[in-house]
Amino acid sequence: MTTAPVRLPEHLIHPFAPAGRANPHPAYRWLRANDPVHFDAGSRLWLITGHGDCATVLRDPRFSAAQGQRERAREDALPPSMLTTDPPDHHRLRAPGALLLGPAAVRSVADAIARDTDELLERLGQLPADARPDAVADLGRPLSTAVFGRLFDLPSSEFTRFETLARAASVNLDPMAPPARAALGRTAAGALTRYLDAHTTLLTLRGSDSPLAALAADDRLSRPEMLGILNLAVVGGWQPLAELVGNALHALLPDRAAVRRLADGDDELARTAVDELLRLEAPIPFTARVTTAPVELAGGFLPAGARVLAVVTAANRDPAVFDRPDELRIDRTPNPHLSFGGGPHFCLAAQLVRQAGALLLARLVRRFPELRGPQDAPDWDLCLVPRRLRALPLHLTAAPGVLTATPGEPGAASDELIAAPLPAGCPASGERR
Ligand code: HEM
């Protein structure tokens, strides 16, 4: 006997429908409680919304990333990347990736990123009192470009070109982008690869001690494989890092007590806060897999060949794991959120993202303690991945005389900030969980 597929009740808007994208959480809450392994007839995808089941999807080898990410096609003739391969091939590609994004690479760029962050805030501080800088365009994107600038040893004269390519290629993140946009995104990914290829050659010629140069010099990878890693890092990382800032401030700024705690707190609290803000609004709300065998999950049965989405943004608010899951608690520990994925494909840049996010957010609220977001409803973009705000205009109302620290002073990027133990449940970059 076959049972009729479960449907969302009429008062809830489907999270993929244009009107449901702004606030998908009520629909996901219902699915998690009533049909945690849900076959979505419209997309023909299985939506997995419970925390335990999502963690299984990310870790269990019966869920293939290679097949799940196959539709992420590009027009740049690159070999499969680490995100589109399963073990054991995956490990061969991922191990050298640590040269670009592992702890030593992150340490080597930490002070420079701290200086870039201070310069960014300095520019904000010089705006007229009535200016309304945008968290997305004036903070998130420049931060992300500066981080990639340090990893890739890009001169600042190249930032505009890099950012244009990175933004255009980021369309590839959205599995439901309209066909014309998706085609443009694939073309942009090709242009990005050619750009990164030429830039890497220049770095090799002129000599560079950057993480990119270390990766390029490693002979475990062919040149196309190395370019595949760079391309994945930009397409998978530039926009999520840029969007982290707007998403985080949207959740943080209304809670004035949390803003004050963050401003007064130490580096560890700032990192814990970043994890909590990532939990509440994951920039990558779901990721795709295909089952290679039938699987019985706690929430239901999946046939072999099922196209599955691990909906991490739903898992991140599972009340079975998180006390008062819709509430912001910037000191939430442990915080086993799945915003960086899990298992073999756990985000290779998680440590870098935590560090860059913690630096920017803590220094921002220290420098502008009266910082406020808009009163009106948030302006969410209609794209599904990354989850992003179109804009978040800020009121700065800078407090005079409050300076950000420079490297070496208290509050500056320090080895402590980089090497400190990660919150419980959060593996180090490159580590499996
Ligand atoms: C807030 C920012 C970010 C978020 C939320 C994020 C999230 C994720 C997630 C969920 C995955 C796993 C995808 C899957 O399992 O299918 C992932 C993988 C990955 N991320 Fe990130 N990411 C961020 C920033 C970055 C940055 C800045 C970079 C590079 C500089 C990066 C590089 C990677 C790479 C290389 C992988 C693939 C790892 C593998 O397949 O082994 N990410 N990320």
Side-chain angles (χ1 to χ4, degrees):
M1 192 185 78
T2 51
T3 47
V6 175
R7 297 173 67 111
L8 272 175
E10 291 202 346
H11 71 277
L12 290 172
I13 309 175
H14 194 287
F16 298 166
R21 295 180 186 196
N23 183 9
H25 299 299
Y28 285 142
R29 187 181 307 125
W30 189 91
L31 286 175
R32 200 179 49 232
N34 296 284
D35 195 28
V37 174
H38 173 75
F39 181 69
D40 179 51
S43 61
R44 309 205 62 75
L45 294 164
W46 292 83
L47 308 187
I48 315 299
T49 45
H51 187 279
D53 283 346
C54 272
T56 302
V57 172
L58 294 168
R59 288 175 191 142
D60 188 315
R62 290 172 296 173
F63 292 85
S64 165
Q67 293 182 42
Q69 307 284 343
R70 190 165 282 161
E71 283 147 39
R72 219 178 271 281
R74 299 181 309 231
E75 281 175 1
D76 53 12
L78 284 180
S81 76
M82 67 183 94
L83 194 53
T84 58
T85 43
D86 293 324
D89 284 354
H90 169 258
H91 182 68
R92 191 180 66 77
L93 296 174
R94 181 164 169 121
L99 290 168
L100 184 69
L101 297 164
V106 174
R107 225 177 352 259
S108 73
V109 293
D111 284 347
I113 291 174
R115 285 196 299 277
D116 296 339
T117 306
D118 284 340
E119 278 171 25
L120 192 56
L121 298 182
E122 190 57 46
R123 284 204 294 276
L124 229 54
Q126 285 165 5
L127 292 174
D130 59 349
R132 295 285 171 265
D134 174 17
V136 180
D138 299 317
L139 279 172
R141 285 185 207 142
L143 172 76
S144 190
T145 299
V147 167
F148 277 91
R150 295 300 175 181
L151 291 172
F152 289 4
D153 199 358
L154 284 168
S156 52
S157 56
E158 284 296 310
F159 279 14
T160 306
R161 186 150 40 147
F162 171 78
E163 194 170 308
T164 306
L165 284 169
R167 278 186 80 182
S170 298
V171 173
N172 292 319
L173 277 174
D174 188 354
M176 288 171 213
R181 281 195 75 212
L184 278 176
R186 283 197 293 275
T187 307
L192 175 68
T193 301
R194 288 189 290 281
Y195 174 79
L196 294 170
D197 193 12
H199 174 66
T200 306
T201 303
L202 275 178
L203 282 196
T204 311
L205 287 174
R206 81 163 152 79
S208 162
D209 57 1
S210 61
L212 190 159
L215 184 73
D218 190 82
D219 57 12
R220 285 173 292 178
L221 296 173
S222 67
R223 178 84 171 188
E225 285 170 341
M226 187 274 299
L227 290 172
I229 291 179
L230 295 186
N231 191 295
L232 170 64
V234 178
V235 173
W238 180 82
Q239 189 145 25
L241 178 56
E243 304 309 344
L244 156 70
V245 177
N247 293 5
L249 289 176
H250 160 67
L252 174 71
L253 292 180
D255 185 339
R256 302 314 300 172
V259 172
R260 279 192 299 278
R261 276 199 72 191
L262 182 59
D264 296 342
D266 59 10
D267 295 340
E268 177 149 5
L269 179 69
R271 277 192 303 271
T272 309
V274 168
D275 270 298
E276 173 69 346
L277 293 160
L278 278 168
R279 180 187 73 81
L280 279 174
E281 286 299 354
I284 299 186
F286 49 72
T287 186
R289 299 288 188 269
V290 172
T291 52
T292 57
V295 184
E296 187 75 52
L297 291 172
F301 175 78
L302 287 167
R307 293 166 68 224
V308 172
L309 292 187
V311 186
V312 298
T313 200
N316 283 350
R317 293 179 183 225
D318 187 338
V321 175
F322 301 99
D323 184 33
R324 295 181 180 268
D326 296 322
E327 215 172 272
L328 171 72
R329 290 190 187 166
I330 63 164
D331 59 354
R332 194 184 285 272
T333 340
N335 192 342
H337 68 79
L338 298 175
S339 293
F340 288 126
H345 296 280
F346 181 77
C347 179
L348 201 48
Q351 187 187 354
L352 175 72
V353 169
R354 287 190 179 106
Q355 183 189 330
L359 269 174
L360 181 90
L361 292 176
R363 289 175 184 211
L364 179 69
V365 294
R366 274 177 209 139
R367 178 156 186 154
F368 305 107
E370 297 307 319
L371 188 72
R372 295 278 198 290
Q375 298 288 325
D376 24 325
D379 186 10
W380 291 104
D381 192 280
L382 286 189
C383 72
L384 280 171
V385 187
R387 176 152 169 80
R388 60 182 297 272
L389 288 162
R390 280 202 190 101
L392 187 77
L394 299 169
H395 298 249
L396 292 176
T397 334
V402 182
L403 295 172
T404 53
T406 49
E409 290 176 356
S414 58
D415 280 355
E416 187 276 320
L417 182 63
I418 298 149
L422 296 164
C426 300
S429 176
E431 191 180 311
R432 295 173 179 209
R433 62 173 173 169

